[in-house]
Amino acid sequence: MNIALIAHDQKKNDLVQFVTAYQGIFAKHALFATGTTGLRITEATGLNVTRFKSGPLGGDQEIGARIANNQMDAIFFFRDPLTAQPHEPDVTALVRLCDVYAIPLATNMGSAELLIRGLEMGLMEWRNVVKENGEGNEG
């Protein structure tokens, strides 16, 4: 599975701790992240993470493009609901794309726990069917 990891500044520590706790599961998948988040995860875990630009510089949109091209299977986006984000339209667009393309999106520790356990249990196999049928994939 292709998994994106994103976190607002006030939630980066939480995401790093989460990925560290479930490193064994994440290690079985291809990981992608926005700039600083990806660097922090790599430094903390040693996992291979493909990094995009930081969120405010277009990283959210780069991940969004992969969603639109059926190249992402799950998104862990630890959002900070209490702090205004300068790139909020990009965040909203990313969430919208997850809804349009039925990509599971965890935005907090509680939903992340459920999603990672679903990955561990193999409950994401339907994504392989979608990929095999070429649904939503232009490249």
Side-chain angles (χ1 to χ4, degrees):
M1 298 281 131
N2 292 329
I3 299 172
L5 305 165
I6 310 164
H8 286 147
D9 289 345
Q10 297 301 318
K11 298 293 182 175
K12 288 189 191 317
N13 287 339
D14 290 346
L15 183 59
V16 169
Q17 290 175 350
F18 184 80
V19 173
T20 301
Y22 291 103
Q23 185 172 340
I25 298 170
F26 282 109
K28 298 174 185 175
H29 302 280
L31 305 177
F32 302 83
T34 50
T36 306
T37 301
L39 178 62
R40 296 221 14 224
I41 289 169
T42 297
E43 289 175 345
T45 65
L47 292 171
N48 183 26
V49 179
T50 299
R51 292 173 50 212
F52 297 113
K53 293 178 178 9
S54 69
L57 298 178
D60 296 339
Q61 291 180 344
E62 289 179 290
I63 291 172
R66 287 186 166 251
I67 292 168
N69 286 304
N70 199 28
Q71 297 171 342
M72 281 294 162
D73 299 300
I75 313 294
F76 290 82
F77 187 172
F78 281 24
R79 299 175 62 196
D80 179 3
L82 302 178
T83 305
Q85 303 298 325
H87 62 295
E88 190 61 34
D90 298 334
V91 172
T92 301
L94 183 69
V95 171
R96 182 184 154 280
L97 284 169
C98 287
D99 288 341
V100 169
Y101 292 96
I103 302 300
L105 169 66
T107 60
N108 58 59
M109 193 73 72
S111 58
E113 179 77 23
L114 293 172
L115 182 53
I116 196 70
R117 293 295 185 181
L119 278 166
E120 180 182 41
M121 293 171 52
L123 301 179
M124 295 286 293
E125 292 304 313
W126 62 272
R127 284 293 302 152
N128 292 328
V129 173
V130 169
K131 288 179 186 178
E132 289 169 10
N133 291 334
E135 295 174 25
N137 190 359
E138 298 299 321

PDB file of all heavy atoms in Angstrom, residues 16-45:
ATOM      1  N   VAL A  16       4.932  11.340  14.684  1.00  0.00           N
ATOM      2  CA  VAL A  16       6.212  10.627  14.811  1.00  0.00           C
ATOM      3  C   VAL A  16       6.093   9.515  15.858  1.00  0.00           C
ATOM      4  O   VAL A  16       6.535   8.385  15.630  1.00  0.00           O
ATOM      5  CB  VAL A  16       7.363  11.602  15.145  1.00  0.00           C
ATOM      6  CG1 VAL A  16       8.624  10.836  15.535  1.00  0.00           C
ATOM      7  CG2 VAL A  16       7.637  12.526  13.966  1.00  0.00           C
ATOM      8  N   GLN A  17       5.473   9.804  16.986  1.00  0.00           N
ATOM      9  CA  GLN A  17       5.281   8.781  18.032  1.00  0.00           C
ATOM     10  C   GLN A  17       4.395   7.652  17.521  1.00  0.00           C
ATOM     11  O   GLN A  17       4.664   6.476  17.797  1.00  0.00           O
ATOM     12  CB  GLN A  17       4.680   9.410  19.281  1.00  0.00           C
ATOM     13  CG  GLN A  17       5.631  10.308  20.021  1.00  0.00           C
ATOM     14  CD  GLN A  17       4.988  11.015  21.198  1.00  0.00           C
ATOM     15  OE1 GLN A  17       3.775  10.979  21.374  1.00  0.00           O
ATOM     16  NE2 GLN A  17       5.803  11.656  22.022  1.00  0.00           N
ATOM     17  N   PHE A  18       3.351   7.997  16.765  1.00  0.00           N
ATOM     18  CA  PHE A  18       2.445   6.989  16.237  1.00  0.00           C
ATOM     19  C   PHE A  18       3.173   6.062  15.260  1.00  0.00           C
ATOM     20  O   PHE A  18       3.058   4.844  15.350  1.00  0.00           O
ATOM     21  CB  PHE A  18       1.250   7.668  15.554  1.00  0.00           C
ATOM     22  CG  PHE A  18       0.223   6.704  15.063  1.00  0.00           C
ATOM     23  CD1 PHE A  18      -0.710   6.153  15.921  1.00  0.00           C
ATOM     24  CD2 PHE A  18       0.182   6.334  13.721  1.00  0.00           C
ATOM     25  CE1 PHE A  18      -1.654   5.249  15.473  1.00  0.00           C
ATOM     26  CE2 PHE A  18      -0.751   5.438  13.258  1.00  0.00           C
ATOM     27  CZ  PHE A  18      -1.682   4.887  14.135  1.00  0.00           C
ATOM     28  N   VAL A  19       3.916   6.645  14.333  1.00  0.00           N
ATOM     29  CA  VAL A  19       4.641   5.832  13.352  1.00  0.00           C
ATOM     30  C   VAL A  19       5.697   4.987  14.055  1.00  0.00           C
ATOM     31  O   VAL A  19       5.893   3.813  13.710  1.00  0.00           O
ATOM     32  CB  VAL A  19       5.264   6.708  12.241  1.00  0.00           C
ATOM     33  CG1 VAL A  19       6.155   5.873  11.325  1.00  0.00           C
ATOM     34  CG2 VAL A  19       4.169   7.403  11.433  1.00  0.00           C
ATOM     35  N   THR A  20       6.338   5.538  15.054  1.00  0.00           N
ATOM     36  CA  THR A  20       7.322   4.774  15.822  1.00  0.00           C
ATOM     37  C   THR A  20       6.663   3.574  16.506  1.00  0.00           C
ATOM     38  O   THR A  20       7.193   2.460  16.463  1.00  0.00           O
ATOM     39  CB  THR A  20       8.015   5.672  16.866  1.00  0.00           C
ATOM     40  OG1 THR A  20       8.669   6.753  16.187  1.00  0.00           O
ATOM     41  CG2 THR A  20       9.037   4.897  17.672  1.00  0.00           C
ATOM     42  N   ALA A  21       5.493   3.799  17.091  1.00  0.00           N
ATOM     43  CA  ALA A  21       4.791   2.714  17.783  1.00  0.00           C
ATOM     44  C   ALA A  21       4.371   1.603  16.830  1.00  0.00           C
ATOM     45  O   ALA A  21       4.356   0.434  17.199  1.00  0.00           O
ATOM     46  CB  ALA A  21       3.564   3.270  18.509  1.00  0.00           C
ATOM     47  N   TYR A  22       4.049   1.971  15.586  1.00  0.00           N
ATOM     48  CA  TYR A  22       3.580   0.989  14.603  1.00  0.00           C
ATOM     49  C   TYR A  22       4.580   0.816  13.457  1.00  0.00           C
ATOM     50  O   TYR A  22       4.210   0.476  12.341  1.00  0.00           O
ATOM     51  CB  TYR A  22       2.204   1.408  14.069  1.00  0.00           C
ATOM     52  CG  TYR A  22       1.132   1.293  15.114  1.00  0.00           C
ATOM     53  CD1 TYR A  22       0.652   2.419  15.764  1.00  0.00           C
ATOM     54  CD2 TYR A  22       0.628   0.043  15.481  1.00  0.00           C
ATOM     55  CE1 TYR A  22      -0.327   2.310  16.744  1.00  0.00           C
ATOM     56  CE2 TYR A  22      -0.340  -0.075  16.462  1.00  0.00           C
ATOM     57  CZ  TYR A  22      -0.814   1.062  17.089  1.00  0.00           C
ATOM     58  OH  TYR A  22      -1.768   0.947  18.063  1.00  0.00           O
ATOM     59  N   GLN A  23       5.831   1.005  13.774  1.00  0.00           N
ATOM     60  CA  GLN A  23       6.896   0.937  12.776  1.00  0.00           C
ATOM     61  C   GLN A  23       6.885  -0.393  12.021  1.00  0.00           C
ATOM     62  O   GLN A  23       7.099  -0.424  10.815  1.00  0.00           O
ATOM     63  CB  GLN A  23       8.240   1.148  13.471  1.00  0.00           C
ATOM     64  CG  GLN A  23       9.420   1.214  12.534  1.00  0.00           C
ATOM     65  CD  GLN A  23      10.686   1.630  13.271  1.00  0.00           C
ATOM     66  OE1 GLN A  23      10.622   2.206  14.358  1.00  0.00           O
ATOM     67  NE2 GLN A  23      11.829   1.345  12.684  1.00  0.00           N
ATOM     68  N   GLY A  24       6.619  -1.467  12.700  1.00  0.00           N
ATOM     69  CA  GLY A  24       6.601  -2.782  12.056  1.00  0.00           C
ATOM     70  C   GLY A  24       5.550  -2.879  10.967  1.00  0.00           C
ATOM     71  O   GLY A  24       5.771  -3.533   9.941  1.00  0.00           O
ATOM     72  N   ILE A  25       4.416  -2.243  11.166  1.00  0.00           N
ATOM     73  CA  ILE A  25       3.361  -2.247  10.142  1.00  0.00           C
ATOM     74  C   ILE A  25       3.730  -1.297   9.009  1.00  0.00           C
ATOM     75  O   ILE A  25       3.652  -1.656   7.835  1.00  0.00           O
ATOM     76  CB  ILE A  25       2.001  -1.860  10.760  1.00  0.00           C
ATOM     77  CG1 ILE A  25       1.585  -2.883  11.815  1.00  0.00           C
ATOM     78  CG2 ILE A  25       0.932  -1.745   9.662  1.00  0.00           C
ATOM     79  CD1 ILE A  25       0.389  -2.462  12.649  1.00  0.00           C
ATOM     80  N   PHE A  26       4.145  -0.088   9.370  1.00  0.00           N
ATOM     81  CA  PHE A  26       4.490   0.897   8.339  1.00  0.00           C
ATOM     82  C   PHE A  26       5.646   0.425   7.461  1.00  0.00           C
ATOM     83  O   PHE A  26       5.701   0.732   6.272  1.00  0.00           O
ATOM     84  CB  PHE A  26       4.827   2.248   8.976  1.00  0.00           C
ATOM     85  CG  PHE A  26       3.618   3.040   9.407  1.00  0.00           C
ATOM     86  CD1 PHE A  26       3.327   3.203  10.742  1.00  0.00           C
ATOM     87  CD2 PHE A  26       2.775   3.613   8.461  1.00  0.00           C
ATOM     88  CE1 PHE A  26       2.213   3.941  11.138  1.00  0.00           C
ATOM     89  CE2 PHE A  26       1.658   4.345   8.843  1.00  0.00           C
ATOM     90  CZ  PHE A  26       1.372   4.512  10.188  1.00  0.00           C
ATOM     91  N   ALA A  27       6.567  -0.352   8.018  1.00  0.00           N
ATOM     92  CA  ALA A  27       7.731  -0.827   7.262  1.00  0.00           C
ATOM     93  C   ALA A  27       7.335  -1.720   6.087  1.00  0.00           C
ATOM     94  O   ALA A  27       8.105  -1.874   5.134  1.00  0.00           O
ATOM     95  CB  ALA A  27       8.686  -1.576   8.194  1.00  0.00           C
ATOM     96  N   LYS A  28       6.148  -2.277   6.110  1.00  0.00           N
ATOM     97  CA  LYS A  28       5.684  -3.171   5.038  1.00  0.00           C
ATOM     98  C   LYS A  28       5.060  -2.415   3.863  1.00  0.00           C
ATOM     99  O   LYS A  28       4.615  -3.044   2.902  1.00  0.00           O
ATOM    100  CB  LYS A  28       4.649  -4.153   5.604  1.00  0.00           C
ATOM    101  CG  LYS A  28       5.201  -5.053   6.688  1.00  0.00           C
ATOM    102  CD  LYS A  28       4.115  -5.895   7.310  1.00  0.00           C
ATOM    103  CE  LYS A  28       4.665  -6.703   8.480  1.00  0.00           C
ATOM    104  NZ  LYS A  28       3.618  -7.438   9.183  1.00  0.00           N
ATOM    105  N   HIS A  29       5.028  -1.093   3.938  1.00  0.00           N
ATOM    106  CA  HIS A  29       4.339  -0.291   2.933  1.00  0.00           C
ATOM    107  C   HIS A  29       5.253   0.803   2.403  1.00  0.00           C
ATOM    108  O   HIS A  29       6.264   1.136   3.016  1.00  0.00           O
ATOM    109  CB  HIS A  29       3.075   0.319   3.542  1.00  0.00           C
ATOM    110  CG  HIS A  29       2.140  -0.718   4.091  1.00  0.00           C
ATOM    111  ND1 HIS A  29       1.287  -1.442   3.288  1.00  0.00           N
ATOM    112  CD2 HIS A  29       1.952  -1.181   5.358  1.00  0.00           C
ATOM    113  CE1 HIS A  29       0.603  -2.290   4.029  1.00  0.00           C
ATOM    114  NE2 HIS A  29       1.000  -2.163   5.287  1.00  0.00           N
ATOM    115  N   ALA A  30       4.882   1.361   1.246  1.00  0.00           N
ATOM    116  CA  ALA A  30       5.604   2.501   0.682  1.00  0.00           C
ATOM    117  C   ALA A  30       5.087   3.764   1.357  1.00  0.00           C
ATOM    118  O   ALA A  30       3.878   4.015   1.363  1.00  0.00           O
ATOM    119  CB  ALA A  30       5.386   2.576  -0.831  1.00  0.00           C
ATOM    120  N   LEU A  31       6.000   4.537   1.939  1.00  0.00           N
ATOM    121  CA  LEU A  31       5.613   5.718   2.695  1.00  0.00           C
ATOM    122  C   LEU A  31       5.980   6.994   1.954  1.00  0.00           C
ATOM    123  O   LEU A  31       7.059   7.099   1.364  1.00  0.00           O
ATOM    124  CB  LEU A  31       6.290   5.705   4.069  1.00  0.00           C
ATOM    125  CG  LEU A  31       6.054   4.459   4.921  1.00  0.00           C
ATOM    126  CD1 LEU A  31       6.835   4.556   6.222  1.00  0.00           C
ATOM    127  CD2 LEU A  31       4.566   4.256   5.183  1.00  0.00           C
ATOM    128  N   PHE A  32       5.076   7.957   2.038  1.00  0.00           N
ATOM    129  CA  PHE A  32       5.247   9.259   1.419  1.00  0.00           C
ATOM    130  C   PHE A  32       4.887  10.306   2.461  1.00  0.00           C
ATOM    131  O   PHE A  32       4.015  10.064   3.293  1.00  0.00           O
ATOM    132  CB  PHE A  32       4.327   9.409   0.197  1.00  0.00           C
ATOM    133  CG  PHE A  32       4.565   8.360  -0.852  1.00  0.00           C
ATOM    134  CD1 PHE A  32       3.978   7.110  -0.743  1.00  0.00           C
ATOM    135  CD2 PHE A  32       5.392   8.619  -1.938  1.00  0.00           C
ATOM    136  CE1 PHE A  32       4.203   6.128  -1.701  1.00  0.00           C
ATOM    137  CE2 PHE A  32       5.620   7.644  -2.895  1.00  0.00           C
ATOM    138  CZ  PHE A  32       5.022   6.396  -2.778  1.00  0.00           C
ATOM    139  N   ALA A  33       5.525  11.461   2.421  1.00  0.00           N
ATOM    140  CA  ALA A  33       5.217  12.485   3.419  1.00  0.00           C
ATOM    141  C   ALA A  33       5.566  13.862   2.887  1.00  0.00           C
ATOM    142  O   ALA A  33       6.364  14.009   1.959  1.00  0.00           O
ATOM    143  CB  ALA A  33       5.995  12.219   4.701  1.00  0.00           C
ATOM    144  N   THR A  34       4.952  14.851   3.517  1.00  0.00           N
ATOM    145  CA  THR A  34       5.361  16.214   3.248  1.00  0.00           C
ATOM    146  C   THR A  34       6.715  16.431   3.917  1.00  0.00           C
ATOM    147  O   THR A  34       7.118  15.662   4.799  1.00  0.00           O
ATOM    148  CB  THR A  34       4.299  17.206   3.766  1.00  0.00           C
ATOM    149  OG1 THR A  34       3.971  16.871   5.118  1.00  0.00           O
ATOM    150  CG2 THR A  34       3.042  17.167   2.906  1.00  0.00           C
ATOM    151  N   GLY A  35       7.433  17.455   3.493  1.00  0.00           N
ATOM    152  CA  GLY A  35       8.837  17.688   3.807  1.00  0.00           C
ATOM    153  C   GLY A  35       9.330  17.448   5.216  1.00  0.00           C
ATOM    154  O   GLY A  35      10.021  16.465   5.492  1.00  0.00           O
ATOM    155  N   THR A  36       9.008  18.338   6.137  1.00  0.00           N
ATOM    156  CA  THR A  36       9.519  18.246   7.497  1.00  0.00           C
ATOM    157  C   THR A  36       8.994  17.009   8.214  1.00  0.00           C
ATOM    158  O   THR A  36       9.734  16.335   8.933  1.00  0.00           O
ATOM    159  CB  THR A  36       9.141  19.514   8.298  1.00  0.00           C
ATOM    160  OG1 THR A  36       9.590  20.661   7.571  1.00  0.00           O
ATOM    161  CG2 THR A  36       9.763  19.510   9.669  1.00  0.00           C
ATOM    162  N   THR A  37       7.737  16.692   7.995  1.00  0.00           N
ATOM    163  CA  THR A  37       7.155  15.505   8.629  1.00  0.00           C
ATOM    164  C   THR A  37       7.915  14.252   8.203  1.00  0.00           C
ATOM    165  O   THR A  37       8.277  13.418   9.036  1.00  0.00           O
ATOM    166  CB  THR A  37       5.656  15.387   8.271  1.00  0.00           C
ATOM    167  OG1 THR A  37       4.979  16.564   8.706  1.00  0.00           O
ATOM    168  CG2 THR A  37       5.036  14.162   8.921  1.00  0.00           C
ATOM    169  N   GLY A  38       8.176  14.121   6.917  1.00  0.00           N
ATOM    170  CA  GLY A  38       8.918  12.968   6.419  1.00  0.00           C
ATOM    171  C   GLY A  38      10.315  12.882   6.993  1.00  0.00           C
ATOM    172  O   GLY A  38      10.790  11.794   7.358  1.00  0.00           O
ATOM    173  N   LEU A  39      10.982  14.021   7.095  1.00  0.00           N
ATOM    174  CA  LEU A  39      12.327  14.047   7.660  1.00  0.00           C
ATOM    175  C   LEU A  39      12.305  13.602   9.120  1.00  0.00           C
ATOM    176  O   LEU A  39      13.121  12.768   9.533  1.00  0.00           O
ATOM    177  CB  LEU A  39      12.917  15.457   7.548  1.00  0.00           C
ATOM    178  CG  LEU A  39      14.316  15.643   8.137  1.00  0.00           C
ATOM    179  CD1 LEU A  39      15.336  14.766   7.417  1.00  0.00           C
ATOM    180  CD2 LEU A  39      14.714  17.117   8.062  1.00  0.00           C
ATOM    181  N   ARG A  40      11.373  14.110   9.880  1.00  0.00           N
ATOM    182  CA  ARG A  40      11.287  13.748  11.302  1.00  0.00           C
ATOM    183  C   ARG A  40      10.974  12.269  11.478  1.00  0.00           C
ATOM    184  O   ARG A  40      11.527  11.617  12.367  1.00  0.00           O
ATOM    185  CB  ARG A  40      10.240  14.614  12.005  1.00  0.00           C
ATOM    186  CG  ARG A  40      10.641  16.088  11.988  1.00  0.00           C
ATOM    187  CD  ARG A  40      10.411  16.901  13.213  1.00  0.00           C
ATOM    188  NE  ARG A  40      10.127  16.240  14.432  1.00  0.00           N
ATOM    189  CZ  ARG A  40       9.167  16.648  15.269  1.00  0.00           C
ATOM    190  NH1 ARG A  40       8.419  17.685  14.969  1.00  0.00           N
ATOM    191  NH2 ARG A  40       8.976  16.023  16.399  1.00  0.00           N
ATOM    192  N   ILE A  41      10.114  11.719  10.633  1.00  0.00           N
ATOM    193  CA  ILE A  41       9.779  10.291  10.732  1.00  0.00           C
ATOM    194  C   ILE A  41      10.997   9.441  10.379  1.00  0.00           C
ATOM    195  O   ILE A  41      11.312   8.468  11.066  1.00  0.00           O
ATOM    196  CB  ILE A  41       8.573   9.949   9.846  1.00  0.00           C
ATOM    197  CG1 ILE A  41       7.305  10.562  10.450  1.00  0.00           C
ATOM    198  CG2 ILE A  41       8.425   8.437   9.667  1.00  0.00           C
ATOM    199  CD1 ILE A  41       6.103  10.528   9.545  1.00  0.00           C
ATOM    200  N   THR A  42      11.705   9.807   9.333  1.00  0.00           N
ATOM    201  CA  THR A  42      12.902   9.070   8.934  1.00  0.00           C
ATOM    202  C   THR A  42      13.961   9.109  10.033  1.00  0.00           C
ATOM    203  O   THR A  42      14.571   8.087  10.361  1.00  0.00           O
ATOM    204  CB  THR A  42      13.475   9.636   7.619  1.00  0.00           C
ATOM    205  OG1 THR A  42      12.508   9.457   6.587  1.00  0.00           O
ATOM    206  CG2 THR A  42      14.756   8.938   7.219  1.00  0.00           C
ATOM    207  N   GLU A  43      14.179  10.289  10.603  1.00  0.00           N
ATOM    208  CA  GLU A  43      15.179  10.419  11.672  1.00  0.00           C
ATOM    209  C   GLU A  43      14.808   9.587  12.893  1.00  0.00           C
ATOM    210  O   GLU A  43      15.674   8.989  13.518  1.00  0.00           O
ATOM    211  CB  GLU A  43      15.332  11.895  12.070  1.00  0.00           C
ATOM    212  CG  GLU A  43      16.027  12.730  11.020  1.00  0.00           C
ATOM    213  CD  GLU A  43      16.072  14.215  11.357  1.00  0.00           C
ATOM    214  OE1 GLU A  43      15.324  14.674  12.258  1.00  0.00           O
ATOM    215  OE2 GLU A  43      16.851  14.930  10.707  1.00  0.00           O
ATOM    216  N   ALA A  44      13.512   9.533  13.217  1.00  0.00           N
ATOM    217  CA  ALA A  44      13.076   8.814  14.418  1.00  0.00           C
ATOM    218  C   ALA A  44      13.023   7.305  14.230  1.00  0.00           C
ATOM    219  O   ALA A  44      13.242   6.547  15.179  1.00  0.00           O
ATOM    220  CB  ALA A  44      11.709   9.324  14.861  1.00  0.00           C
ATOM    221  N   THR A  45      12.738   6.856  13.000  1.00  0.00           N
ATOM    222  CA  THR A  45      12.477   5.428  12.790  1.00  0.00           C
ATOM    223  C   THR A  45      13.451   4.727  11.852  1.00  0.00           C
ATOM    224  O   THR A  45      13.542   3.505  11.864  1.00  0.00           O
ATOM    225  CB  THR A  45      11.068   5.229  12.196  1.00  0.00           C
ATOM    226  OG1 THR A  45      11.037   5.823  10.885  1.00  0.00           O
ATOM    227  CG2 THR A  45       9.994   5.842  13.085  1.00  0.00           C
TER     228      THR A  45
END
